[in-house]
Amino acid sequence: MRPIRALLAGTAAAGLLLLTACTTDAPTEELPAAETSAAEEAPAESGAESEWFVQADYDKELAQRDIEPEGPADEPWLQAIEPEWVDTADLASEGGDKTLCFSNASVSNPWRVTGWITMQQQVEVLQEEGVIGEFRVSDAADDDNKQISDIQAFVEAGDCDAIIISPSTTATLTPAVEAACESGTPVIVFDRGVNTDCMVTFIHPIGGYAYGAVGAEFLVDNLEPGSTVLALRILPGVDVLEHRWAAADKVFSESDIEVVGVEFTGGDGAKIKDLVTQYLQRGEVDGIWMDAGDGSVAAVEAFEDSGKPYPVFVGEDEMSFLRKWDETGMTAIGNVYSNFQWRTPILAAQKIWAGEEVPSEWVLPQEPVDDSDLAEYLDANADMPSLHYAKFGGEDLPGYPEAWTDR
């Protein structure tokens, strides 16, 4: 295998440590200031009233849930919903052994770790085929300034045949992405967006509005009018996460559901458990909505430790949650922000070098795990670790399953 030049500097380990960091605040009748500070850092207006909410985009994403994607049925990472094709003939490049450069926001949570493994396995396939020579990687460890420097370094080196960027945040990274585009090197953005369309293609599942609405609609459909919901968020300022909450907030505001709290958790399981425990001490919580799956099991355990009935729960397709859902029999849904998307930018680079058309906005399918297929995903991923994501899309890659089980 040809080398992967990585500037990771232990960020994977650091990211996983972040998820296990603990808090020791004792629960009280009032939430302590330390626990509310993260939420207070958010903009005064949030959700459907915020600058992040765009009605037309919301309507578009909700409609896309019902549109059949184009592309091979057995390769969802190559499917596209309502694609508008871009001619890349002028970007075609003869010969193999291309240098592919990747600026990654981080591997600071299990979803990103799972996707990063999948991406590397796809790269290995193209290296064996002689398409990719060097895969040059920088990891920003969730630091905007570092990622800006990383992208500048790729541009200044001048030897990247394509640059893939998964932005840390939206607005701050936009100028760096635009500078990369101006260099003439094909730029591919995926996962999180930026405020420009200069890239050759922007790859993402349907999006945050669809994700947030699916979970909120599930709670509205499965709870009695007047029921209470606690919303747990990771962090502010990232478009896809802001869209998730904006969509959920809109759905809840048009229902008889009461949102008793909206809390930022940083994906910290101990903090999640502590926060949920405090809310349970203050009153009933009938449902949990989460904008990502990190720490889902910790939230469930807070109900168990408090002797409270299980809530109706919106988690994600992380295996720890799917197993807990199956074990408890609670009413739940495993939301999905398709992890297999980490394969798509690698294959997009191959297409661009070959002068093949790619969608300007490459919208991938995004289907949640529900009662009808929970058992199927549990069985298919029986040997996978707890922090693995069921819809990772790497079963046909040569490293399966060891690359994911030995993470």
Side-chain angles (χ1 to χ4, degrees), residues 250-271:
K250 180 171 177 60
V251 172
F252 290 139
S253 69
E254 296 172 352
S255 74
D256 294 320
I257 297 297
E258 177 189 0
V259 178
V260 294
V262 182
E263 299 287 348
F264 288 103
T265 70
D268 182 335
K271 183 173 183 178

mmCIF file with all atom_site columns, all heavy atoms in Angstrom, residues 250-271:
data_model
loop_
_atom_site.group_PDB
_atom_site.id
_atom_site.type_symbol
_atom_site.label_atom_id
_atom_site.label_alt_id
_atom_site.label_comp_id
_atom_site.label_asym_id
_atom_site.label_entity_id
_atom_site.label_seq_id
_atom_site.pdbx_PDB_ins_code
_atom_site.Cartn_x
_atom_site.Cartn_y
_atom_site.Cartn_z
_atom_site.occupancy
_atom_site.B_iso_or_equiv
_atom_site.pdbx_formal_charge
_atom_site.auth_seq_id
_atom_site.auth_comp_id
_atom_site.auth_asym_id
_atom_site.auth_atom_id
_atom_site.pdbx_PDB_model_num
ATOM 1   N N   . LYS A 1 250 ? -39.143 23.833 14.626 1.00 0.00 ? 250 LYS A N   1
ATOM 2   C CA  . LYS A 1 250 ? -40.330 24.177 13.837 1.00 0.00 ? 250 LYS A CA  1
ATOM 3   C C   . LYS A 1 250 ? -41.423 23.120 14.008 1.00 0.00 ? 250 LYS A C   1
ATOM 4   O O   . LYS A 1 250 ? -42.598 23.455 14.207 1.00 0.00 ? 250 LYS A O   1
ATOM 5   C CB  . LYS A 1 250 ? -39.959 24.321 12.365 1.00 0.00 ? 250 LYS A CB  1
ATOM 6   C CG  . LYS A 1 250 ? -41.142 24.687 11.473 1.00 0.00 ? 250 LYS A CG  1
ATOM 7   C CD  . LYS A 1 250 ? -40.695 25.033 10.073 1.00 0.00 ? 250 LYS A CD  1
ATOM 8   C CE  . LYS A 1 250 ? -41.901 25.332 9.172  1.00 0.00 ? 250 LYS A CE  1
ATOM 9   N NZ  . LYS A 1 250 ? -42.701 26.483 9.676  1.00 0.00 ? 250 LYS A NZ  1
ATOM 10  N N   . VAL A 1 251 ? -41.030 21.847 13.931 1.00 0.00 ? 251 VAL A N   1
ATOM 11  C CA  . VAL A 1 251 ? -42.015 20.773 14.091 1.00 0.00 ? 251 VAL A CA  1
ATOM 12  C C   . VAL A 1 251 ? -42.651 20.834 15.478 1.00 0.00 ? 251 VAL A C   1
ATOM 13  O O   . VAL A 1 251 ? -43.880 20.744 15.628 1.00 0.00 ? 251 VAL A O   1
ATOM 14  C CB  . VAL A 1 251 ? -41.360 19.398 13.847 1.00 0.00 ? 251 VAL A CB  1
ATOM 15  C CG1 . VAL A 1 251 ? -42.326 18.264 14.215 1.00 0.00 ? 251 VAL A CG1 1
ATOM 16  C CG2 . VAL A 1 251 ? -40.919 19.269 12.391 1.00 0.00 ? 251 VAL A CG2 1
ATOM 17  N N   . PHE A 1 252 ? -41.833 21.002 16.506 1.00 0.00 ? 252 PHE A N   1
ATOM 18  C CA  . PHE A 1 252 ? -42.364 21.056 17.870 1.00 0.00 ? 252 PHE A CA  1
ATOM 19  C C   . PHE A 1 252 ? -43.276 22.267 18.061 1.00 0.00 ? 252 PHE A C   1
ATOM 20  O O   . PHE A 1 252 ? -44.319 22.177 18.725 1.00 0.00 ? 252 PHE A O   1
ATOM 21  C CB  . PHE A 1 252 ? -41.218 21.116 18.888 1.00 0.00 ? 252 PHE A CB  1
ATOM 22  C CG  . PHE A 1 252 ? -40.431 19.835 19.005 1.00 0.00 ? 252 PHE A CG  1
ATOM 23  C CD1 . PHE A 1 252 ? -39.042 19.873 19.113 1.00 0.00 ? 252 PHE A CD1 1
ATOM 24  C CD2 . PHE A 1 252 ? -41.059 18.602 19.017 1.00 0.00 ? 252 PHE A CD2 1
ATOM 25  C CE1 . PHE A 1 252 ? -38.308 18.707 19.233 1.00 0.00 ? 252 PHE A CE1 1
ATOM 26  C CE2 . PHE A 1 252 ? -40.332 17.420 19.128 1.00 0.00 ? 252 PHE A CE2 1
ATOM 27  C CZ  . PHE A 1 252 ? -38.949 17.478 19.233 1.00 0.00 ? 252 PHE A CZ  1
ATOM 28  N N   . SER A 1 253 ? -42.896 23.399 17.482 1.00 0.00 ? 253 SER A N   1
ATOM 29  C CA  . SER A 1 253 ? -43.682 24.622 17.671 1.00 0.00 ? 253 SER A CA  1
ATOM 30  C C   . SER A 1 253 ? -45.054 24.526 17.020 1.00 0.00 ? 253 SER A C   1
ATOM 31  O O   . SER A 1 253 ? -45.978 25.256 17.406 1.00 0.00 ? 253 SER A O   1
ATOM 32  C CB  . SER A 1 253 ? -42.921 25.829 17.115 1.00 0.00 ? 253 SER A CB  1
ATOM 33  O OG  . SER A 1 253 ? -42.843 25.782 15.694 1.00 0.00 ? 253 SER A OG  1
ATOM 34  N N   . GLU A 1 254 ? -45.197 23.637 16.068 1.00 0.00 ? 254 GLU A N   1
ATOM 35  C CA  . GLU A 1 254 ? -46.478 23.452 15.383 1.00 0.00 ? 254 GLU A CA  1
ATOM 36  C C   . GLU A 1 254 ? -47.252 22.263 15.939 1.00 0.00 ? 254 GLU A C   1
ATOM 37  O O   . GLU A 1 254 ? -48.219 21.802 15.338 1.00 0.00 ? 254 GLU A O   1
ATOM 38  C CB  . GLU A 1 254 ? -46.223 23.275 13.881 1.00 0.00 ? 254 GLU A CB  1
ATOM 39  C CG  . GLU A 1 254 ? -45.606 24.512 13.227 1.00 0.00 ? 254 GLU A CG  1
ATOM 40  C CD  . GLU A 1 254 ? -45.163 24.293 11.796 1.00 0.00 ? 254 GLU A CD  1
ATOM 41  O OE1 . GLU A 1 254 ? -45.190 23.113 11.350 1.00 0.00 ? 254 GLU A OE1 1
ATOM 42  O OE2 . GLU A 1 254 ? -44.809 25.274 11.129 1.00 0.00 ? 254 GLU A OE2 1
ATOM 43  N N   . SER A 1 255 ? -46.826 21.767 17.106 1.00 0.00 ? 255 SER A N   1
ATOM 44  C CA  . SER A 1 255 ? -47.471 20.613 17.738 1.00 0.00 ? 255 SER A CA  1
ATOM 45  C C   . SER A 1 255 ? -47.886 20.971 19.160 1.00 0.00 ? 255 SER A C   1
ATOM 46  O O   . SER A 1 255 ? -47.723 22.117 19.608 1.00 0.00 ? 255 SER A O   1
ATOM 47  C CB  . SER A 1 255 ? -46.504 19.431 17.783 1.00 0.00 ? 255 SER A CB  1
ATOM 48  O OG  . SER A 1 255 ? -45.503 19.649 18.780 1.00 0.00 ? 255 SER A OG  1
ATOM 49  N N   . ASP A 1 256 ? -48.402 19.969 19.876 1.00 0.00 ? 256 ASP A N   1
ATOM 50  C CA  . ASP A 1 256 ? -48.774 20.156 21.278 1.00 0.00 ? 256 ASP A CA  1
ATOM 51  C C   . ASP A 1 256 ? -47.686 19.661 22.220 1.00 0.00 ? 256 ASP A C   1
ATOM 52  O O   . ASP A 1 256 ? -47.936 19.442 23.409 1.00 0.00 ? 256 ASP A O   1
ATOM 53  C CB  . ASP A 1 256 ? -50.084 19.405 21.575 1.00 0.00 ? 256 ASP A CB  1
ATOM 54  C CG  . ASP A 1 256 ? -51.264 20.000 20.824 1.00 0.00 ? 256 ASP A CG  1
ATOM 55  O OD1 . ASP A 1 256 ? -51.330 21.242 20.733 1.00 0.00 ? 256 ASP A OD1 1
ATOM 56  O OD2 . ASP A 1 256 ? -52.109 19.235 20.323 1.00 0.00 ? 256 ASP A OD2 1
ATOM 57  N N   . ILE A 1 257 ? -46.491 19.478 21.717 1.00 0.00 ? 257 ILE A N   1
ATOM 58  C CA  . ILE A 1 257 ? -45.366 19.027 22.532 1.00 0.00 ? 257 ILE A CA  1
ATOM 59  C C   . ILE A 1 257 ? -44.701 20.225 23.212 1.00 0.00 ? 257 ILE A C   1
ATOM 60  O O   . ILE A 1 257 ? -44.509 21.273 22.596 1.00 0.00 ? 257 ILE A O   1
ATOM 61  C CB  . ILE A 1 257 ? -44.330 18.282 21.658 1.00 0.00 ? 257 ILE A CB  1
ATOM 62  C CG1 . ILE A 1 257 ? -44.940 17.023 21.050 1.00 0.00 ? 257 ILE A CG1 1
ATOM 63  C CG2 . ILE A 1 257 ? -43.078 17.945 22.451 1.00 0.00 ? 257 ILE A CG2 1
ATOM 64  C CD1 . ILE A 1 257 ? -45.379 15.989 22.054 1.00 0.00 ? 257 ILE A CD1 1
ATOM 65  N N   . GLU A 1 258 ? -44.323 20.054 24.478 1.00 0.00 ? 258 GLU A N   1
ATOM 66  C CA  . GLU A 1 258 ? -43.616 21.106 25.210 1.00 0.00 ? 258 GLU A CA  1
ATOM 67  C C   . GLU A 1 258 ? -42.131 20.746 25.291 1.00 0.00 ? 258 GLU A C   1
ATOM 68  O O   . GLU A 1 258 ? -41.767 19.685 25.786 1.00 0.00 ? 258 GLU A O   1
ATOM 69  C CB  . GLU A 1 258 ? -44.170 21.243 26.626 1.00 0.00 ? 258 GLU A CB  1
ATOM 70  C CG  . GLU A 1 258 ? -43.417 22.271 27.461 1.00 0.00 ? 258 GLU A CG  1
ATOM 71  C CD  . GLU A 1 258 ? -43.814 22.271 28.921 1.00 0.00 ? 258 GLU A CD  1
ATOM 72  O OE1 . GLU A 1 258 ? -44.692 21.466 29.301 1.00 0.00 ? 258 GLU A OE1 1
ATOM 73  O OE2 . GLU A 1 258 ? -43.226 23.053 29.687 1.00 0.00 ? 258 GLU A OE2 1
ATOM 74  N N   . VAL A 1 259 ? -41.284 21.640 24.804 1.00 0.00 ? 259 VAL A N   1
ATOM 75  C CA  . VAL A 1 259 ? -39.831 21.464 24.917 1.00 0.00 ? 259 VAL A CA  1
ATOM 76  C C   . VAL A 1 259 ? -39.402 22.088 26.240 1.00 0.00 ? 259 VAL A C   1
ATOM 77  O O   . VAL A 1 259 ? -39.457 23.302 26.417 1.00 0.00 ? 259 VAL A O   1
ATOM 78  C CB  . VAL A 1 259 ? -39.088 22.110 23.739 1.00 0.00 ? 259 VAL A CB  1
ATOM 79  C CG1 . VAL A 1 259 ? -37.584 21.951 23.912 1.00 0.00 ? 259 VAL A CG1 1
ATOM 80  C CG2 . VAL A 1 259 ? -39.535 21.490 22.414 1.00 0.00 ? 259 VAL A CG2 1
ATOM 81  N N   . VAL A 1 260 ? -38.966 21.247 27.177 1.00 0.00 ? 260 VAL A N   1
ATOM 82  C CA  . VAL A 1 260 ? -38.641 21.738 28.521 1.00 0.00 ? 260 VAL A CA  1
ATOM 83  C C   . VAL A 1 260 ? -37.204 22.227 28.644 1.00 0.00 ? 260 VAL A C   1
ATOM 84  O O   . VAL A 1 260 ? -36.849 22.877 29.625 1.00 0.00 ? 260 VAL A O   1
ATOM 85  C CB  . VAL A 1 260 ? -38.902 20.656 29.591 1.00 0.00 ? 260 VAL A CB  1
ATOM 86  C CG1 . VAL A 1 260 ? -40.387 20.345 29.677 1.00 0.00 ? 260 VAL A CG1 1
ATOM 87  C CG2 . VAL A 1 260 ? -38.092 19.389 29.313 1.00 0.00 ? 260 VAL A CG2 1
ATOM 88  N N   . GLY A 1 261 ? -36.374 21.917 27.660 1.00 0.00 ? 261 GLY A N   1
ATOM 89  C CA  . GLY A 1 261 ? -34.997 22.371 27.717 1.00 0.00 ? 261 GLY A CA  1
ATOM 90  C C   . GLY A 1 261 ? -34.262 22.075 26.432 1.00 0.00 ? 261 GLY A C   1
ATOM 91  O O   . GLY A 1 261 ? -34.575 21.108 25.729 1.00 0.00 ? 261 GLY A O   1
ATOM 92  N N   . VAL A 1 262 ? -33.290 22.925 26.116 1.00 0.00 ? 262 VAL A N   1
ATOM 93  C CA  . VAL A 1 262 ? -32.391 22.729 24.985 1.00 0.00 ? 262 VAL A CA  1
ATOM 94  C C   . VAL A 1 262 ? -30.983 22.924 25.538 1.00 0.00 ? 262 VAL A C   1
ATOM 95  O O   . VAL A 1 262 ? -30.632 24.021 25.984 1.00 0.00 ? 262 VAL A O   1
ATOM 96  C CB  . VAL A 1 262 ? -32.663 23.731 23.848 1.00 0.00 ? 262 VAL A CB  1
ATOM 97  C CG1 . VAL A 1 262 ? -31.736 23.448 22.665 1.00 0.00 ? 262 VAL A CG1 1
ATOM 98  C CG2 . VAL A 1 262 ? -34.119 23.684 23.412 1.00 0.00 ? 262 VAL A CG2 1
ATOM 99  N N   . GLU A 1 263 ? -30.182 21.864 25.536 1.00 0.00 ? 263 GLU A N   1
ATOM 100 C CA  . GLU A 1 263 ? -28.876 21.903 26.195 1.00 0.00 ? 263 GLU A CA  1
ATOM 101 C C   . GLU A 1 263 ? -27.760 21.471 25.243 1.00 0.00 ? 263 GLU A C   1
ATOM 102 O O   . GLU A 1 263 ? -27.913 20.500 24.499 1.00 0.00 ? 263 GLU A O   1
ATOM 103 C CB  . GLU A 1 263 ? -28.871 20.965 27.415 1.00 0.00 ? 263 GLU A CB  1
ATOM 104 C CG  . GLU A 1 263 ? -29.881 21.323 28.494 1.00 0.00 ? 263 GLU A CG  1
ATOM 105 C CD  . GLU A 1 263 ? -29.501 22.558 29.284 1.00 0.00 ? 263 GLU A CD  1
ATOM 106 O OE1 . GLU A 1 263 ? -28.343 23.008 29.157 1.00 0.00 ? 263 GLU A OE1 1
ATOM 107 O OE2 . GLU A 1 263 ? -30.361 23.073 30.011 1.00 0.00 ? 263 GLU A OE2 1
ATOM 108 N N   . PHE A 1 264 ? -26.636 22.188 25.306 1.00 0.00 ? 264 PHE A N   1
ATOM 109 C CA  . PHE A 1 264 ? -25.436 21.774 24.585 1.00 0.00 ? 264 PHE A CA  1
ATOM 110 C C   . PHE A 1 264 ? -24.609 20.860 25.488 1.00 0.00 ? 264 PHE A C   1
ATOM 111 O O   . PHE A 1 264 ? -24.402 21.162 26.666 1.00 0.00 ? 264 PHE A O   1
ATOM 112 C CB  . PHE A 1 264 ? -24.602 22.988 24.174 1.00 0.00 ? 264 PHE A CB  1
ATOM 113 C CG  . PHE A 1 264 ? -25.226 23.783 23.065 1.00 0.00 ? 264 PHE A CG  1
ATOM 114 C CD1 . PHE A 1 264 ? -25.875 24.978 23.333 1.00 0.00 ? 264 PHE A CD1 1
ATOM 115 C CD2 . PHE A 1 264 ? -25.170 23.341 21.751 1.00 0.00 ? 264 PHE A CD2 1
ATOM 116 C CE1 . PHE A 1 264 ? -26.453 25.718 22.313 1.00 0.00 ? 264 PHE A CE1 1
ATOM 117 C CE2 . PHE A 1 264 ? -25.742 24.071 20.726 1.00 0.00 ? 264 PHE A CE2 1
ATOM 118 C CZ  . PHE A 1 264 ? -26.394 25.269 21.009 1.00 0.00 ? 264 PHE A CZ  1
ATOM 119 N N   . THR A 1 265 ? -24.130 19.757 24.920 1.00 0.00 ? 265 THR A N   1
ATOM 120 C CA  . THR A 1 265 ? -23.457 18.740 25.724 1.00 0.00 ? 265 THR A CA  1
ATOM 121 C C   . THR A 1 265 ? -22.017 18.461 25.308 1.00 0.00 ? 265 THR A C   1
ATOM 122 O O   . THR A 1 265 ? -21.293 17.784 26.041 1.00 0.00 ? 265 THR A O   1
ATOM 123 C CB  . THR A 1 265 ? -24.218 17.403 25.627 1.00 0.00 ? 265 THR A CB  1
ATOM 124 O OG1 . THR A 1 265 ? -24.053 16.874 24.298 1.00 0.00 ? 265 THR A OG1 1
ATOM 125 C CG2 . THR A 1 265 ? -25.710 17.585 25.925 1.00 0.00 ? 265 THR A CG2 1
ATOM 126 N N   . GLY A 1 266 ? -21.609 18.908 24.135 1.00 0.00 ? 266 GLY A N   1
ATOM 127 C CA  . GLY A 1 266 ? -20.281 18.571 23.636 1.00 0.00 ? 266 GLY A CA  1
ATOM 128 C C   . GLY A 1 266 ? -20.111 17.095 23.336 1.00 0.00 ? 266 GLY A C   1
ATOM 129 O O   . GLY A 1 266 ? -18.984 16.626 23.134 1.00 0.00 ? 266 GLY A O   1
ATOM 130 N N   . GLY A 1 267 ? -21.203 16.335 23.321 1.00 0.00 ? 267 GLY A N   1
ATOM 131 C CA  . GLY A 1 267 ? -21.107 14.896 23.110 1.00 0.00 ? 267 GLY A CA  1
ATOM 132 C C   . GLY A 1 267 ? -20.510 14.161 24.286 1.00 0.00 ? 267 GLY A C   1
ATOM 133 O O   . GLY A 1 267 ? -20.103 13.006 24.157 1.00 0.00 ? 267 GLY A O   1
ATOM 134 N N   . ASP A 1 268 ? -20.457 14.788 25.451 1.00 0.00 ? 268 ASP A N   1
ATOM 135 C CA  . ASP A 1 268 ? -19.860 14.234 26.656 1.00 0.00 ? 268 ASP A CA  1
ATOM 136 C C   . ASP A 1 268 ? -20.905 13.374 27.380 1.00 0.00 ? 268 ASP A C   1
ATOM 137 O O   . ASP A 1 268 ? -21.894 13.890 27.907 1.00 0.00 ? 268 ASP A O   1
ATOM 138 C CB  . ASP A 1 268 ? -19.375 15.380 27.544 1.00 0.00 ? 268 ASP A CB  1
ATOM 139 C CG  . ASP A 1 268 ? -18.680 14.929 28.818 1.00 0.00 ? 268 ASP A CG  1
ATOM 140 O OD1 . ASP A 1 268 ? -18.949 13.804 29.280 1.00 0.00 ? 268 ASP A OD1 1
ATOM 141 O OD2 . ASP A 1 268 ? -17.873 15.697 29.352 1.00 0.00 ? 268 ASP A OD2 1
ATOM 142 N N   . GLY A 1 269 ? -20.691 12.054 27.409 1.00 0.00 ? 269 GLY A N   1
ATOM 143 C CA  . GLY A 1 269 ? -21.658 11.145 28.002 1.00 0.00 ? 269 GLY A CA  1
ATOM 144 C C   . GLY A 1 269 ? -21.951 11.455 29.456 1.00 0.00 ? 269 GLY A C   1
ATOM 145 O O   . GLY A 1 269 ? -23.104 11.384 29.903 1.00 0.00 ? 269 GLY A O   1
ATOM 146 N N   . ALA A 1 270 ? -20.920 11.789 30.232 1.00 0.00 ? 270 ALA A N   1
ATOM 147 C CA  . ALA A 1 270 ? -21.130 12.087 31.654 1.00 0.00 ? 270 ALA A CA  1
ATOM 148 C C   . ALA A 1 270 ? -21.971 13.341 31.832 1.00 0.00 ? 270 ALA A C   1
ATOM 149 O O   . ALA A 1 270 ? -22.851 13.402 32.703 1.00 0.00 ? 270 ALA A O   1
ATOM 150 C CB  . ALA A 1 270 ? -19.786 12.239 32.353 1.00 0.00 ? 270 ALA A CB  1
ATOM 151 N N   . LYS A 1 271 ? -21.708 14.349 31.007 1.00 0.00 ? 271 LYS A N   1
ATOM 152 C CA  . LYS A 1 271 ? -22.501 15.576 31.097 1.00 0.00 ? 271 LYS A CA  1
ATOM 153 C C   . LYS A 1 271 ? -23.946 15.326 30.682 1.00 0.00 ? 271 LYS A C   1
ATOM 154 O O   . LYS A 1 271 ? -24.883 15.853 31.289 1.00 0.00 ? 271 LYS A O   1
ATOM 155 C CB  . LYS A 1 271 ? -21.873 16.660 30.215 1.00 0.00 ? 271 LYS A CB  1
ATOM 156 C CG  . LYS A 1 271 ? -22.587 17.998 30.299 1.00 0.00 ? 271 LYS A CG  1
ATOM 157 C CD  . LYS A 1 271 ? -21.823 19.070 29.546 1.00 0.00 ? 271 LYS A CD  1
ATOM 158 C CE  . LYS A 1 271 ? -22.513 20.429 29.702 1.00 0.00 ? 271 LYS A CE  1
ATOM 159 N NZ  . LYS A 1 271 ? -21.758 21.510 29.012 1.00 0.00 ? 271 LYS A NZ  1
#
